[in-house]
Amino acid sequence: MTWMITGGAGYIGAHVARVMAGAGERVVVLDDVSSGVPERLPSDIPLVRGTSLDGGLLRRVFAEHAVTGVVHLAARKQVGESVEQPLRYYRENVGGLTTLLEAVVDAGVKRFVFSSSAAVYGNPPDADLVAEDTPCAPVSPYGETKLAGEWLVRAAGRAHGLTTTCLRYFNVAGSASPELADTGVFNVVPMVFDRLTRGEAPRVFGTDHPTPDGTCVRDYIHVGDLAEAHLAAARRPAEPGSDLTVNIGRGEGVSVRELLTVIAEVTGDTREPLLEPRRAGDAPRAVADVRLAAKALGFSARLGVREMVESAWAGWCLRHPEAVRG
C-alpha cells in the first residue's frame, strides 16, 4: 500500500509520517506548508505542496503515487480563531474533506483515517471518563467541523465501501526529537514555556473547579504515542463500509497544578503561577475512556507527562536558546 498523509509536514503529521515510514509503509505527504515545516520530513518521503481543496492535484497525486489509503490530518485547528473565522473553518475543514473524499472515491482508494478531536464532545458531562458514546455537543466552530467531518467520513464509507477510522485526540504534547517539536504557541505546554521565556509567571484559569486541587483536569498524550495510534488504525483489518471511532489518550487525568509542577521541575523555573478567574466554557474534567482503542486497535499509550514535558522543553530550547538559563 501507499498512504497519502495530508498535513504530513505539520507537528503531528510529521510524527505520523515518520512512524509509518519507519514501520515499512510507503508514504507520500500532501501539505500546503502554511504551518508545516518541510525539514521535518526525511528526504525519502515525497512532499507534494498543495491542499485538500485542490481536487485536480489530489487525483494526480493518487495516480502518480498509486495511493491506496489516506490519513487526513490537514485542517485549521485553533478554537479561538474558529470563533472569529467560522466560514474559513467550514470551507477548509469540511469543504477540503469533501473534495478529498470525492477524489478518494474516484480513485478507488478504500482506506481512510480521519484526524478528529475530543472537541467534538464540547463540555462533557460530569463523569470520570469520556467514552465514545458520550453525547457530542461541540462548543466552537472548530469542534463542529470535526464532528461534521466524522459524519461525512462515515457516510462516504458506507456508501462507497471504504474502511474508515476516526481518531478523537485528547491533549497532545511532547516530541519524538527536538527538531519535530510543536512550533506553535497555542497549547498549554508551549504557552507556559513562552511565558517563562519572557520572564512571566504561568497563568491558571480557575482554582475553584470541582476537582481535587480546584484546577481543570485533562488527558495528555505524547505525540509519539499518537503517531503509533495512526499506524495501528492504518493497519486494522479492512472491512468495506465499516467505521471505527475511538478516543486516543492515556485514560489518566492531570490537573493544571500538577502539570505546572512537572514543568517547574523540568525547566527549573519555580515561580508561582498567576491565579485568575475561570474561563467561560472550560470543563472541569475531560479524560478519555481508552478501552476501545486497546480492544479494537491494540493501542495503549506508553509515555507519561514527564516525557512529554521533557521532550517539549528540549524542542523549545532548540528554537529559543534564550530560554536556557545558566
Side-chain angles (χ1 to χ4, degrees):
M1 293 188 66
T2 298
W3 288 89
M4 184 178 79
I5 302 176
T6 70
Y11 164 52
I12 296 174
H15 281 87
V16 173
R18 283 173 174 257
V19 162
M20 292 186 66
E25 301 289 343
R26 295 177 59 189
V27 168
V28 58
V29 164
L30 177 77
D31 200 302
D32 66 1
V33 300
S34 58
S35 59
V37 180
E39 290 73 24
R40 284 178 170 142
L41 296 171
S43 59
D44 58 346
I45 295 181
L47 169 63
V48 178
R49 301 194 182 209
T51 81
S52 55
L53 288 161
D54 188 339
L57 175 62
L58 293 172
R59 288 168 174 80
R60 289 196 298 275
V61 174
F62 287 161
E64 291 172 8
H65 293 272
V67 171
T68 49
V70 172
V71 178
H72 182 48
L73 294 107
R76 307 295 305 179
K77 64 175 186 177
Q78 302 308 323
V79 169
E81 184 183 63
S82 78
V83 174
E84 299 169 354
Q85 303 178 43
L87 296 177
R88 181 182 187 185
Y89 269 67
Y90 272 86
R91 180 178 68 251
E92 296 193 22
N93 290 5
V94 181
L97 176 58
T98 302
T99 301
L100 175 58
L101 285 168
E102 288 171 344
V104 161
V105 171
D106 288 350
V109 174
K110 290 300 184 182
R111 299 180 69 99
F112 196 93
V113 178
F114 178 59
S115 164
S116 189
S117 167
V120 300
Y121 296 117
N123 293 328
D126 188 14
D128 284 343
L129 298 175
V130 179
E132 288 83 358
D133 60 359
T134 296
C136 292
V139 295
S140 69
Y142 165 69
E144 292 168 2
T145 64
K146 286 300 183 181
L147 183 56
E150 289 187 8
W151 293 339
L152 182 54
V153 166
R154 294 188 198 108
R158 289 190 300 268
H160 300 286
L162 312 181
T163 300
T164 62
T165 310
C166 298
L167 303 180
R168 291 175 175 170
Y169 311 167
F170 277 65
N171 297 268
V172 185
S175 179
S177 58
E179 68 274 10
L180 296 182
D182 192 357
T183 57
V185 187
F186 305 108
N187 298 320
V188 62
V189 172
M191 287 175 70
V192 173
F193 290 166
D194 181 57
R195 290 188 65 84
L196 296 180
T197 300
R198 290 187 282 113
E200 301 175 2
R203 302 163 77 187
V204 175
F205 294 97
T207 58
D208 58 348
H209 291 280
T211 60
D213 65 18
T215 65
C216 291
V217 172
R218 294 292 182 266
D219 189 333
Y220 296 91
I221 182 166
H222 194 289
V223 67
D225 281 333
L226 178 62
E228 295 287 348
H230 285 77
L231 176 63
R235 288 182 166 178
R236 82 178 183 92
E239 218 175 304
S242 72
D243 169 69
L244 176 66
T245 299
V246 292
N247 291 332
I248 303 296
R250 292 175 62 242
E252 299 179 13
V254 178
S255 75
V256 173
R257 284 190 187 276
E258 290 171 332
L259 179 64
L260 291 180
T261 296
V262 176
I263 291 175
E265 292 170 355
V266 170
T267 64
D269 193 320
T270 60
R271 74 188 73 203
E272 287 296 312
L274 300 175
L275 306 181
E276 306 201 10
R278 293 189 194 187
R279 294 178 299 192
D282 272 348
R285 178 181 174 87
V287 179
D289 184 333
V290 296
R291 290 174 294 181
L292 182 58
K295 179 180 178 181
L297 296 178
F299 168 77
S300 295
R302 298 179 298 105
L303 301 171
V305 172
R306 178 168 288 276
E307 288 92 344
M308 297 180 213
V309 173
E310 287 176 344
S311 60
W313 181 240
W316 180 268
C317 291
L318 178 66
R319 298 186 313 280
H320 302 88
E322 71 277 16
V324 182
R325 297 178 175 86

